[in-house]
Amino acid sequence: MKKIGTLLIAAILVTISCNDGAKRKDYRPTSIGAINSLAVVMDKQLWEGPVGDKVRETFAAPILGLSWEEPLFTINHMPAKVFTGTVRNTRSVLVIDQDSLNLAHIKSDVYARPQRISVIKGRTEEEIIENLERKSGEIIASFKNLEIRETQKRFLRSLNKEKALEEKFNISLTMPSVYKVGKEEDNFVWIDRQILKGTMNIIAYTMPWDSFTNDSTFVRDIVRMRDSIGQKYIPGPDVPGKTTFMVTEKAFAPYVFPAEVAGRKAVEVKGIWEINNYPMAGPFITYIINDQENRRKVVIEGFTFAPATEKREFMFELEAILKTINFGKGQVSNKEIAQE
């Protein structure tokens, strides 16, 4: 009997401890930082040497598919002694240290929520660089996913309520209310928002299920699809004696990657659009998503026109919107986004 009582007390203590832990977790502050900013915590000697070079080469690498070179992350370097107080609440953090340990791992919500702190250590600079090379893909994906979710949460401040996508294709996207439906056709919806010096745009349409069956012409078929949609639905400025419309840039093939969107197999396409017979261009990102239930491919695309302007944040917002796509169930709920 005494043994049973002891076990009961131990169980209660464990429960209280867990509950206390949950309460402490709830009181962690909200993380801070601009979208796509990265705090890099490492001493000056490492930062100015080969390790720092590798960090910049990896985390400030040019983003694929933009009009000109823009870095993956905006890096804010600081020594460890500065990483204290509210600075520790930065959302995305990379810690580099040379000491007796050789490791590379990612921690979540250490000082704030949501937060990712990636720690790279090594006994020598060579080991640190090896760990960076080995772990960088996973770390970048973790940071990017965190930034996507943070961007999506910011949409909740003022949501678009239009139903054009739902009525036309039985899909929905979660996006800010500044986006407005500008054009609707039988198999085409165009949504846009005005920005300084240009526009951010989202288009949606469908393709037959058996599209893109030939692997040897896959990229060419994607370009042909985009160009035909551009010619039919996306005109350029009026030019006497010339036909203007959106096409895929002719000089370079777009980047194509396998992807998963809304739990479905998909293809991600990044590249540059241009206007046939007119000097206009900009970046685009397209998702071609398998909708096997309805025997179709759903195509959603974001593109930006903003001449002489950096476009990283514009395209990142469009990517975040496209990744909220929901099939046949209305918008992804505010609660689902907020809890991610």
Side-chain angles (χ1 to χ4, degrees), residues 289-308:
I289 307 168
N290 286 350
D291 184 12
Q292 187 169 5
E293 182 180 348
N294 295 296
R295 305 298 293 173
R296 64 181 182 173
K297 310 281 190 185
V298 173
V299 184
I300 51 175
E301 175 172 311
F303 65 93
T304 296
F305 173 63

Side-chain angles (χ1 to χ4, degrees), residues 211-222 256 267:
S211 302
F212 316 113
T213 55
N214 190 336
D215 290 345
S216 64
T217 62
F218 186 56
V219 176
R220 193 187 316 159
D221 291 342
I222 291 173
V256 179
V267 170

Side-chain angles (χ1 to χ4, degrees), residues 14 21 40 47 112 123 129 132 177 198 203 222 225 254 256 302 313 332:
V14 169
V40 175
W47 176 250
R123 291 161 294 192
I129 291 172
L132 274 168
S177 59
I203 59 175
I222 291 173
M225 172 194 73
V256 179
E313 304 310 327
V332 176

Side-chain angles (χ1 to χ4, degrees), residues 21-31 108-113:
K23 289 178 182 178
R24 284 195 297 273
K25 184 177 181 181
D26 289 342
Y27 284 108
R28 272 177 283 190
T30 301
S31 56
S108 297
D109 304 341
V110 178
Y111 302 110
R113 299 181 65 196

Side-chain angles (χ1 to χ4, degrees), residues 148 150-167 169 171-183 189-194 200-204 300-303 314 316-326 330-334 337:
I148 286 283
E150 176 63 24
T151 301
Q152 291 169 342
K153 286 180 184 178
R154 297 182 184 189
F155 298 160
L156 303 181
R157 297 169 184 172
S158 178
L159 282 173
N160 177 284
K161 302 295 185 181
E162 295 180 292
K163 300 293 184 182
L165 294 172
E166 192 171 332
E167 293 168 356
F169 305 117
I171 64 173
S172 64
L173 294 171
T174 301
M175 69 187 87
S177 59
V178 291
Y179 287 85
K180 306 295 182 184
V181 174
K183 178 184 284 190
V189 172
W190 186 350
I191 302 168
D192 65 357
R193 66 169 288 188
Q194 299 298 310
M200 295 167 63
N201 306 266
I202 295 169
I203 59 175
I300 51 175
E301 175 172 311
F303 65 93
F314 298 149
F316 196 78
E317 178 175 301
L318 290 171
E319 180 180 347
I321 291 172
L322 299 182
K323 286 182 173 178
T324 67
I325 188 171
N326 209 31
Q331 286 185 334
V332 176
S333 72
N334 298 1
I337 293 176

